[in-house]
Amino acid sequence: MAGISVIVKHQGNKHEVELDPASTGETFKFQLFSITGVEPERQKILVKGGQLKDDTELSALKAKPGQVFMMMGTPSGAGEVQRPKEAVKFMEDMTEAEAARQEGATPAGLQNLGNTCYMNSTLQTLKSVPELQQELAKYSAPATGSFPNLSQFTNTAPSSTDLTAALRDLYEQMSDTQQGFPPYTFLQSLREAYPQFAQQSRTGQGFAQQDAEEAWSQIISLLNQKLKIKDASTGSGGQAAREVSFIEKYLAGRFHSKTVCDELSVREAGEEPVEADDTFFKLDCHISKDTNHLKDGILAALEEKVEKKSSTDDRDAIYTKTARISRLPKYLTVHFVRFFWKREAQKKAKIMRKVTFPQELDVVDFCTDVLRKQLVPVRDKIREVRKDEEDMIRARKRQKVAHKQEEDREHDAKIKQDEPLQKAKEKREEKDKDRDRDKKDGKFDGDTEMQNVSYKTDAEYEAEKSASLKAAKKELFELIDPELAKDEGTNRSGIYELRGVVTHQGASADSGHYTSYVKKQGAIDSKSGKRKEEDGKWWWFNDEKVSEVDADKIDSLSGGGESHSALILLYRAIDLPTAEEVAE
């Protein structure tokens, strides 16, 4: 495609530049860089509908010879070559810790110290909670009294029963390496705090395999007691922020339950339903012959039959306890109840049934009526915004197809330009006669050829999309319930995205192998401090081996045999607009 000579105005000067319609905005900026000395990232080129973007196809601008473009921007250092502010350091010159902290670096695995895969998979999944790592970094072990540390007078190591401090140190050490790290200290602390994990194998050789869910629950329980933070939402009116448990703020929800006797005679005798509020750290997914999807199992677990003594009849009766969620945590743990005690085999057998689970979970149906009313407006708005965005993308694709078809027609017309003008005129006259005849006979359908159809440029489209997205964010922010907005540790939409999975391979909890999958986070932008868009990939932690897998792999972890099947799911509330984003 032939180049087009255009004029670029910059700081009072006019530059004649040859624009290649077959290239992109990035190429054009480099052309201007060679003329003006202004680096491409510092250039602002104004086109119809906004600024020229790097990925804009120049053919979409429909530039004409002599067309004038306005460019703004100045070269860094007034065009002088400057020494980089920071010395460039190559990978081979970095320390192991520096390399491990680079963008895109493979995270550290954990060595298997003898049937410790249950612990490794649990630790890797919990490490995916950035708030947990931040608060652990601030944690300092409480004073144990005025007694001296006797370890300084002996050859023994100091007691490591402070599991919270051991977890803090472990995560810090893992951040400084890409190798498989041996978690000796944490394992020792875990076994001292919970002797069940020090159980020997039946053969007497080494330690026994354990249940990853039990390790998860015990670690969460201890962190709930030990890891305290200041809750900023409780420090209003000049009062100091109240100290709360990190776990209760970010990983714990609350149930509101009602227990009603199944027997009509008991209810008629005047026994009232019993209502209660309880804290939960995970949702159970019960698996039966009718369970096919995660939601089926959760709903089954929220309703249970209990037998207890009636307060009116003074005898045992059957009651139905129905629970609904009254507070959603930012991080929601879901446990597939796949293991049950098999008496004849004296072991925890595994339920092999396939149970599918989504990578985005809507839990509004599991909530109380009060919470549901707070969540539904935000959830529905999110769905509406997503649909509008998809419609815009489809419309843009249709416009590009139509634009391409028009360009093809114009190209064909140019090829036929050697056709005698008289012949073309005769054809037009004949076409006009046919149209007049159709009008007279009533066959004319009213359609006419499109004339002067205007197609949006990429810049115009991006500007329209950006304006629409900004307006939608503002509307969404205004729909967030004020009470929920005060609690940064809660879910304000009822929608979660999957962030981590602990899997089990084998036929029983006491054997087999545990691994974990953690979704990769977007890198942090050094300028804005915000995370960049994620690539959708996952890290697979198989003890010290760490590899990258596609999102499709996660969908294959639904079970159905002895292969890897999900045991624990860690969901995180989807991000919503903040006051700062709306104000920008």
Side-chain angles (χ1 to χ4, degrees):
M1 189 176 293
I4 302 170
S5 180
V6 298
I7 304 297
V8 177
K9 283 187 177 182
H10 177 244
Q11 294 185 342
N13 298 317
K14 293 183 179 181
H15 304 284
E16 187 173 343
V17 184
E18 186 168 323
L19 183 148
D20 182 3
S23 62
T24 64
E26 184 179 25
T27 303
F28 190 55
K29 288 181 179 181
F30 274 103
Q31 284 180 262
L32 296 177
F33 172 53
S34 66
I35 297 172
T36 65
V38 180
E39 296 85 348
E41 64 271 13
R42 296 175 64 87
Q43 296 177 19
K44 289 185 179 179
I45 303 171
L46 303 182
V47 296
K48 186 178 180 181
Q51 295 180 25
L52 179 66
K53 294 186 177 295
D54 289 349
D55 58 356
T56 299
E57 296 177 2
L58 296 183
S59 59
L61 300 180
K62 294 184 177 179
K64 298 178 181 178
Q67 184 171 338
V68 178
F69 293 89
M70 183 68 70
M71 171 182 155
M72 295 185 292
T74 57
S76 60
E80 297 178 2
V81 177
Q82 294 184 337
R83 182 184 299 274
K85 293 181 179 179
E86 295 182 7
V88 177
K89 182 174 280 191
F90 297 98
M91 288 294 293
E92 55 267 26
D93 299 326
M94 292 182 182
T95 64
E96 182 181 4
E98 289 174 332
R101 293 178 183 270
Q102 292 300 302
E103 179 179 330
T106 301
L110 289 170
Q111 293 180 20
N112 193 319
L113 304 179
N115 282 334
T116 58
C117 56
Y118 70 92
M119 179 189 74
N120 292 346
S121 57
T122 295
L123 294 175
Q124 293 285 16
T125 307
L126 283 174
K127 191 173 182 288
S128 69
V129 180
E131 293 91 343
L132 176 59
Q133 293 199 61
Q134 292 166 11
E135 294 304 326
L136 281 172
K138 303 174 188 176
Y139 174 80
S140 58
T144 56
S146 57
F147 294 100
N149 184 359
L150 298 180
S151 62
Q152 60 182 309
F153 304 110
T154 67
N155 293 324
T156 60
S159 174
S160 56
T161 51
D162 188 345
L163 196 65
T164 305
L167 184 60
R168 174 201 62 200
D169 296 342
L170 175 62
Y171 282 165
E172 181 65 26
Q173 291 161 336
M174 290 172 66
S175 298
D176 289 336
T177 183
Q178 291 180 276
Q179 306 300 318
F181 188 82
Y184 288 113
T185 303
F186 183 84
L187 179 60
Q188 178 186 350
S189 299
L190 180 68
R191 286 172 174 166
E192 287 179 4
Y194 301 103
Q196 69 190 82
F197 298 112
Q199 180 184 356
Q200 295 290 315
S201 66
R202 293 182 180 181
T203 62
Q205 298 178 352
F207 293 96
Q209 177 69 285
Q210 300 290 337
D211 186 344
E213 187 276 326
E214 290 183 2
W216 179 287
S217 295
Q218 297 288 33
I219 293 171
I220 291 293
S221 176
L222 187 136
L223 289 175
N224 185 48
Q225 301 172 36
K226 300 291 185 180
L227 191 58
K228 305 296 182 179
I229 61 174
K230 297 292 185 181
D231 187 359
S233 64
T234 62
S236 59
Q239 296 180 347
R242 183 167 56 89
E243 192 175 66
V244 299
S245 161
F246 171 85
I247 296 298
E248 285 201 9
K249 184 172 180 63
Y250 286 100
L251 282 93
R254 284 194 292 273
F255 281 136
H256 180 77
S257 62
K258 181 182 289 187
T259 305
V260 181
C261 186
D262 291 359
E263 297 182 26
L264 180 61
S265 60
V266 173
R267 297 199 300 271
E268 289 178 341
E271 183 170 292
E272 295 292 330
V274 177
E275 298 190 32
D277 293 288
D278 302 288
T279 298
F280 69 87
F281 300 111
K282 59 183 174 66
L283 291 182
D284 284 331
C285 173
H286 288 177
I287 302 175
S288 68
K289 61 181 180 63
D290 300 319
T291 308
N292 296 309
H293 190 270
L294 178 70
K295 282 194 170 185
D296 302 332
I298 293 177
L299 283 172
L302 291 176
E303 185 172 303
E304 60 177 327
K305 297 291 184 181
V306 294
E307 184 177 357
K308 65 173 188 173
K309 181 170 289 188
S310 167
S311 60
T312 56
D313 284 12
D314 195 30
R315 62 180 177 82
D316 289 343
I318 302 298
Y319 290 76
T320 298
K321 182 180 179 180
T322 304
R324 287 294 180 267
I325 300 171
S326 58
R327 182 197 184 259
L328 288 169
K330 182 174 183 178
Y331 291 89
L332 178 68
T333 304
V334 181
H335 168 224
F336 286 98
V337 187
R338 287 196 174 274
F339 299 127
F340 67 98
W341 183 252
K342 200 169 184 178
R343 185 176 301 175
E344 57 271 23
Q346 289 293 296
K347 68 177 183 179
K348 287 183 179 179
K350 183 177 179 181
I351 300 173
M352 304 291 187
R353 185 176 181 81
K354 180 178 180 179
V355 181
T356 60
F357 56 90
Q359 294 199 30
E360 184 172 277
L361 178 64
D362 181 348
V363 298
V364 171
D365 291 341
F366 307 146
C367 299
T368 61
D369 291 340
V370 173
L371 182 55
R372 193 181 296 123
K373 288 178 182 178
Q374 295 172 313
L375 299 173
V376 166
V378 179
R379 182 200 64 179
D380 291 351
K381 184 62 181 178
I382 291 170
R383 290 176 175 175
E384 180 187 324
V385 170
R386 288 177 176 177
K387 182 179 181 302
D388 289 345
E389 191 171 3
E390 290 173 358
D391 290 344
M392 287 183 69
I393 293 172
R394 283 195 292 266
R396 177 61 176 159
K397 288 180 179 178
R398 287 196 298 268
Q399 187 196 63
K400 283 191 172 183
V401 171
H403 192 188
K404 181 67 168 59
Q405 290 174 343
E406 182 177 323
E407 287 182 334
D408 291 343
R409 286 195 297 269
E410 290 176 355
H411 178 68
D412 293 341
K414 287 180 181 179
I415 294 177
K416 297 178 181 178
Q417 281 181 355
D418 57 345
E419 185 178 355
L421 294 177
Q422 185 59 34
K423 190 173 181 181
K425 182 179 179 182
E426 290 174 358
K427 281 190 174 184
R428 286 196 299 272
E429 291 175 351
E430 185 64 31
K431 193 173 183 181
D432 291 340
K433 287 180 182 180
D434 291 341
R435 185 183 296 148
D436 293 340
R437 192 181 305 114
D438 289 341
K439 283 184 178 180
K440 187 176 181 180
D441 297 339
K443 298 178 181 178
F444 183 62
D445 60 5
D447 290 342
T448 59
E449 294 182 13
M450 288 194 302
Q451 300 293 331
N452 299 321
V453 178
S454 176
Y455 294 101
K456 294 178 183 177
T457 64
D458 285 346
E460 290 174 325
Y461 169 75
E462 289 297 333
E464 182 181 311
K465 182 180 177 182
S466 177
S468 176
L469 184 60
K470 186 175 182 180
K473 280 186 175 181
K474 185 176 181 181
E475 291 178 25
L476 188 56
F477 178 76
E478 291 172 349
L479 287 172
I480 298 174
D481 183 87
E483 288 301 314
L484 297 183
K486 295 177 185 177
D487 186 357
E488 64 179 357
T490 191
N491 185 327
R492 300 156 183 168
S493 69
I495 303 176
Y496 287 95
E497 59 174 336
L498 187 62
R499 303 303 303 185
V501 185
V502 176
T503 67
H504 177 265
Q505 179 185 37
S508 72
D510 304 328
S511 62
H513 184 56
Y514 292 94
T515 68
S516 63
Y517 294 81
V518 172
K519 193 169 187 178
K520 291 177 63 180
Q521 292 185 327
I524 296 178
D525 190 301
S526 58
K527 295 181 179 178
S528 65
K530 298 179 181 179
R531 288 199 177 273
K532 299 178 183 177
E533 189 174 348
E534 297 177 343
D535 62 8
K537 304 281 188 179
W538 290 66
W539 291 119
W540 180 27
F541 295 96
N542 184 3
D543 288 330
E544 69 272 12
K545 298 177 183 177
V546 183
S547 54
E548 186 181 84
V549 298
D550 294 326
D552 294 343
K553 176 64 179 177
I554 307 303
D555 296 329
S556 69
L557 304 175
S558 302
E562 292 189 18
S563 60
H564 282 288
S565 53
L567 179 69
I568 298 172
L569 305 176
L570 181 63
Y571 284 97
R572 185 184 71 190
I574 64 168
D575 292 329
L576 294 178
T578 62
E580 292 76 15
E581 290 176 339
V582 172
E584 289 178 356

